[in-house]
Amino acid sequence: MVAARTARERARAEITAEILAAARVQLGEVGPSQLSLRAVAREVGMVSSAVYRYYASRDELLTALIIAAYDELGAAAEAAEEAVEDRTDHVARWMATCRATREWAVSHPHDYALIYGSPVPGYAAPQDTVMPATRVIVRLVEIIVAAHGSGGPTDTARPPAGAADPSDVVADAMAFIAERSAVDLEALPELVMRTLMVWSAIFGTLSFELFGHLKGSVSDYEGYFDQTVLRLAGDLGLA
């Protein structure tokens, strides 16, 4: 009985993966708002009623695609950061994470557009997408806090003159990261604030590139991205 159950679970996983692969192809052809379970069923040679046994609705399929995209992006960024042998070289760890993020985005433009492009009309992402969505920012925070703990960017741990304490503004982010990471952020709200600002700038730069907003201003997109994220590291006291 155990062997039969294992075989059924393996078969279900294979069919689920096939459905997701077909959905990703359709995502690139028609976009997320036009994603159709019926069309996906045709692509995998199934009747639409059979696909509903794996995904109860288009929104459920969209959620699976979103989670898969975030997890692929997060895994790529984490693997690149972990490949840096000198763990005290925080700039190298930062650049590796950021470059891997861009490489994934450029290689998967339709997946990137799904998670960072225009919202899909009528779709609201459930809580299940939150944890995968934060894998890159959590890794960046870990790098910044590690640099701070080794005697790094002390100036960036204090608000600039005239700025209010950001503790209330970043309280949610600090609580969330504390749940997922071993870093202690209690005394570092300014550092979290600045890292969130940098996070927005990184993905803003990527979106400008992938959605065509840099045309006419920049021709070397990779070089521009490298220069941008290096300067952002400097803003956090890393470089």
Side-chain angles (χ1 to χ4, degrees):
M1 291 180 63
V2 174
R5 184 169 64 250
T6 301
R8 287 196 299 271
E9 291 172 353
R10 185 165 53 247
R12 182 178 180 85
E14 290 173 355
I15 294 172
T16 299
E18 189 177 356
I19 293 171
L20 275 180
R24 289 180 80 167
V25 171
Q26 190 183 116
L27 196 65
E29 293 175 348
V30 301
S33 61
Q34 299 300 316
L35 185 66
S36 163
L37 279 175
R38 193 177 298 276
V40 171
R42 285 198 302 269
E43 184 67 27
V44 297
M46 300 171 65
V47 296
S48 57
S49 58
V51 173
Y52 282 103
R53 290 201 294 268
Y54 298 89
Y55 295 100
S57 65
R58 181 213 65 163
D59 285 5
E60 191 172 302
L61 180 56
L62 269 176
T63 296
L65 288 167
I66 289 168
I67 290 173
Y70 277 131
D71 277 334
E72 281 190 17
L73 170 58
E78 290 162 2
E81 190 273 333
E82 289 163 7
V84 178
E85 294 184 2
D86 184 356
R87 306 307 290 167
T88 66
D89 190 343
H90 301 106
V91 174
R93 292 170 61 189
W94 173 272
M95 294 302 292
T97 305
C98 293
R99 285 169 175 159
T101 298
R102 179 184 176 274
E103 287 169 7
W104 182 89
V106 171
S107 299
H108 303 82
H110 302 300
D111 296 300
Y112 181 88
L114 174 65
I115 55 179
Y116 288 108
S118 300
V120 179
Y123 172 80
Q127 189 69 21
D128 292 351
T129 63
V130 174
M131 295 288 276
T134 59
R135 289 176 65 168
V136 173
I137 183 59
V138 167
R139 185 54 56 103
L140 293 177
V141 167
E142 288 173 349
I143 295 168
I144 296 301
V145 172
H148 183 273
S150 64
T154 54
D155 289 344
T156 58
R158 295 188 292 269
D165 185 322
S167 296
D168 291 342
V169 175
V170 299
D172 290 345
M174 292 177 69
F176 183 84
I177 293 170
E179 290 177 2
R180 294 201 55 195
S181 174
V183 298
D184 182 7
L185 299 173
E186 186 175 353
L188 302 172
E190 178 63 24
L191 208 54
V192 175
M193 177 71 186
R194 294 186 186 213
T195 305
L196 287 173
M197 292 166 59
V198 165
W199 180 42
S200 302
I202 290 170
F203 282 95
T205 301
L206 280 174
S207 293
F208 262 49
E209 174 183 346
L210 292 175
F211 301 150
H213 300 302
L214 288 179
K215 289 181 179 177
S217 300
V218 173
S219 56
D220 181 1
Y221 294 146
E222 182 178 3
Y224 177 71
F225 182 81
D226 265 17
Q227 291 288 333
T228 298
V229 295
L230 185 59
R231 282 164 172 75
L232 291 171
D235 291 343
L236 289 165
L238 288 187

